[in-house]
Amino acid sequence: MKHLIAVCAAFLLSSVSYGQWQVSASSGYAIGSATMKLGERIDASSTENSYGSYGEGTNFQLRGTYFFDDSFGVDLSVGYLQGTDQDVSIVDLPSTEVNAVARARAFGASASVVYKFTNNIYGRFGALLKLGGKTEGVIYQKSVFSEAEAEAFGVPNGSYSETNYKEDFHGHFPLGFVGALGYKYDLDSNFSIFAEVEYYGISLKRKDSEISEFNTDVKLPDGTVAVSGLFTIDNLPEGFNRNTTYVDELSNTNTDPTQELSQKVPYSSFGLNIGVTYKFAKASKE
């Protein structure tokens, strides 16, 4: 036991004596990895699957790293993902148009182990968490009235309804994997720049969603608004629920339209980051 205590004490002392802190800031772009079907694209002649990952987009990261010696260290980072639009439903038919996309607006964090292969090349791997944010759905729908519907509204044939709304999806806190391989170039004793390829492996199970904006107008064939705000966030049409909860099991006799079966959506990605690092002076050995 005394020997174990002595070894631990020596390790801690050496870490304090030779440890080094550094901070970095970076930005980059990632493409989807391990993509899944997100929706469909439909026109008069065909239906096509739409694949993607909500992890695709631009990211910004702040990172703090502590090296115990010249090779091993630990890394803690926080970041923000500005995801690109992913097609969920694209419909182009004579009487119906739909353009529904979704994109990530997410905050995350990671804790990693860092190893320097050389003074310039390093790798890191660890755990990835999503701290907050949302998957934002942006939907546009245009539906041309039938003759009976146009007569009911007192508008000419060719008139249509136009709906725009946003729905925010939230998920359970997931745990994923992050790995990176990078190259750094020292500018001086304190500053360096780096480039790295980074992989995120993570998916998110939906928890709930909320419609945050909603508006439906009735328009004439030339686009003139005949009825403004036919439906709004406070007056949703049948079939729309302001709040939806996602669960793992539903009774076959369930009649609650605000509950739906949950699903996992992909956030995995593979990207390139470029950034700058500031190294603090090493602790002096007493």
Side-chain angles (χ1 to χ4, degrees):
M1 177 61 73
K2 291 182 179 180
H3 179 69
L4 179 60
I5 294 175
V7 170
C8 292
F11 174 76
L12 292 175
L13 182 59
S14 64
S15 297
V16 173
S17 299
Y18 297 100
Q20 182 182 61
W21 286 98
Q22 64 182 44
V23 294
S24 63
S26 65
S27 180
Y29 188 86
I31 60 174
S33 174
T35 59
M36 297 172 59
K37 178 181 176 181
L38 301 179
E40 296 177 343
R41 304 182 185 96
I42 302 172
D43 59 27
S45 61
S46 65
T47 298
E48 176 189 5
N49 286 334
S50 171
Y51 295 92
S53 170
Y54 294 116
E56 180 177 350
T58 303
N59 71 77
F60 307 91
Q61 298 185 46
L62 293 175
R63 177 175 291 113
T65 309
Y66 181 80
F67 282 97
F68 299 105
D69 54 31
D70 289 336
S71 298
F72 282 99
V74 291
D75 177 287
L76 181 65
S77 71
V78 292
Y80 175 74
L81 170 65
Q82 182 88 359
T84 58
D85 291 353
Q86 304 294 315
D87 289 345
V88 175
S89 179
I90 306 297
V91 180
D92 185 10
L93 297 173
S95 61
T96 304
E97 292 182 23
V98 177
N99 189 331
V101 299
R103 63 272 185 113
R105 299 290 186 264
F107 296 92
S110 67
S112 307
V113 174
V114 186
Y115 179 75
K116 292 182 182 178
F117 297 99
T118 69
N119 189 49
N120 300 106
I121 300 173
Y122 66 90
R124 58 182 173 83
F125 67 92
L128 175 66
L129 290 171
K130 181 176 178 291
L131 299 179
K134 61 188 177 182
T135 304
E136 181 184 56
V138 182
I139 301 94
Y140 167 84
Q141 295 179 342
K142 175 183 176 181
S143 180
V144 179
F145 292 137
S146 65
E147 187 175 339
E149 290 172 330
E151 184 178 345
F153 280 104
V155 293
N157 289 335
S159 298
Y160 55 92
S161 66
E162 188 175 78
T163 298
N164 290 277
Y165 71 95
K166 291 183 179 181
E167 186 168 8
D168 298 333
F169 296 86
H170 307 102
H172 297 276
F173 288 104
L175 179 65
F177 170 82
V178 59
L181 181 65
Y183 180 89
K184 75 176 182 71
Y185 177 79
D186 291 331
L187 299 176
D188 56 31
S189 59
N190 296 110
F191 286 96
S192 61
I193 55 176
F194 66 90
E196 62 181 19
V197 290
E198 184 176 49
Y199 172 76
Y200 284 167
I202 192 168
S203 59
L204 182 66
K205 187 169 77 170
R206 283 187 172 158
K207 178 183 178 183
D208 57 57
S209 66
E210 179 181 7
I211 296 177
S212 58
E213 298 178 21
F214 197 99
N215 185 76
T216 298
D217 293 334
V218 174
K219 292 190 173 183
L220 302 180
D222 63 0
T224 302
V225 176
V227 180
S228 178
L230 176 65
F231 297 111
T232 66
I233 189 68
D234 298 316
N235 176 36
L236 294 175
E238 185 177 355
F240 288 87
N241 299 293
R242 185 165 185 174
N243 295 281
T244 301
T245 302
Y246 296 91
V247 297
D248 290 330
E249 183 179 355
L250 280 176
S251 169
N252 290 336
T253 59
N254 177 66
T255 58
D256 183 357
T258 66
Q259 288 193 335
E260 294 183 15
L261 286 174
S262 186
Q263 58 180 305
K264 279 194 172 182
V265 294
Y267 266 78
S268 297
S269 65
F270 186 81
L272 174 67
N273 301 324
I274 297 175
V276 60
T277 298
Y278 178 81
K279 293 182 292 185
F280 296 93
K282 289 184 179 180
S284 300
K285 185 176 179 180
E286 297 293 340

